[in-house]
Amino acid sequence: MERTATVTRNTRETQITLTLNLDGTGKTELDTGIGFFDHMLDGFARHGLFDLTVHCRGDLNVDCHHTIEDIGIALGTALRQALGDKAGLVRYGSCMLPMDETLALCAVDLGGRPYFVYDAAFAGQSCGGMDTQMAREFFYAVSYAAMMNLHLKILYGENDHHKLEAMFKAFAKALDAATRTDARITGVLSTKGTL
């Protein structure tokens, strides 16, 4: 079964088409209008081995908020759709990822109940044209649209670029682990019988 989804989201603020393949090789085609955000999404796809296409036209004349948040909503929606009925899904994944002086921690549960915990601080207000506070908004949007439990923490670090990149890559590795299937799991991995 192919685990892919395409989501189109059109509002007065953004026009987005996003395609996600959970069983890809890390190929990307990204055009968000924010170069640094494209770089973060590329790292996410490559290290999670997801194929990801994102085309967005957003109101960047206002700021980057709507573009980044709405792409998070689209990505979370695509993830939820691509997972299907979640039969055989491992469900949980985590990663502790170093990036030079920075260490990031990410844990996910694809159990169908959204919750988001985030602990990260940045020295600057922006990095490469992306507002650093938008990292929280992006991951929050992904977690709630995907109906997933997501915990992200920067344990320590100095460089904002490294902190942001470590979070996106840790999320990729944790999500890659959680989206794998295991032949030993019949149905869904839950005492409730549903995810």
Side-chain angles (χ1 to χ4, degrees):
M1 180 180 82
E2 208 171 87
R3 300 189 306 163
T4 65
T6 297
V7 171
T8 300
R9 178 179 171 84
N10 291 313
T11 72
R12 286 188 292 179
E13 298 166 340
T14 58
Q15 295 82 49
I16 298 167
T17 302
L18 183 149
T19 300
L20 174 67
N21 177 359
L22 295 177
D23 302 308
T25 59
K27 292 185 298 187
T28 61
E29 186 179 310
L30 305 168
D31 181 16
T32 68
I34 307 164
F36 185 82
F37 187 47
D38 287 349
H39 179 52
M40 294 299 100
L41 292 174
D42 185 62
F44 161 76
R46 285 178 189 273
H47 290 273
L49 297 174
F50 309 123
D51 291 344
L52 180 65
T53 301
V54 182
H55 294 283
C56 177
R57 290 294 165 260
D59 57 354
L60 295 177
N61 59 307
V62 175
D63 70 6
C64 65
H65 189 112
H66 301 138
T67 294
I68 294 173
E69 182 178 47
D70 286 6
I71 289 171
I73 292 169
L75 179 60
T77 302
L79 173 59
R80 191 177 75 246
Q81 291 176 4
L83 287 171
D85 64 6
K86 300 181 183 177
L89 192 69
V90 171
R91 177 179 167 177
Y92 297 98
S94 62
C95 178
M96 188 175 287
L97 188 132
M99 176 130 193
D100 296 342
E101 85 296 343
T102 297
L103 189 64
L105 172 68
C106 181
V108 302
D109 172 13
L110 299 173
R113 292 191 310 276
Y115 203 86
F116 181 59
V117 178
Y118 181 85
D119 185 1
F122 300 95
Q125 292 184 357
S126 69
C127 186
M130 174 180 155
D131 293 351
T132 52
Q133 65 182 343
M134 285 311 302
R136 183 190 189 286
E137 299 304 317
F138 171 77
F139 288 115
Y140 176 88
V142 172
S143 68
Y144 273 76
M147 301 289 286
M148 71 189 291
N149 188 320
L150 172 59
H151 293 244
L152 269 169
K153 181 179 179 69
I154 294 295
L155 298 170
Y156 47 81
E158 297 294 328
N159 182 282
D160 286 349
H161 186 133
H162 295 162
K163 290 178 186 178
L164 289 161
E165 194 162 344
M167 281 196 298
F168 275 82
K169 289 178 178 178
F171 176 55
K173 300 304 284 183
L175 190 61
D176 180 42
T179 56
R180 293 181 189 187
T181 56
D182 189 321
R184 298 172 297 170
I185 301 170
T186 56
V188 295
L189 190 58
S190 172
T191 55
K192 294 178 177 60
T194 184
L195 292 178

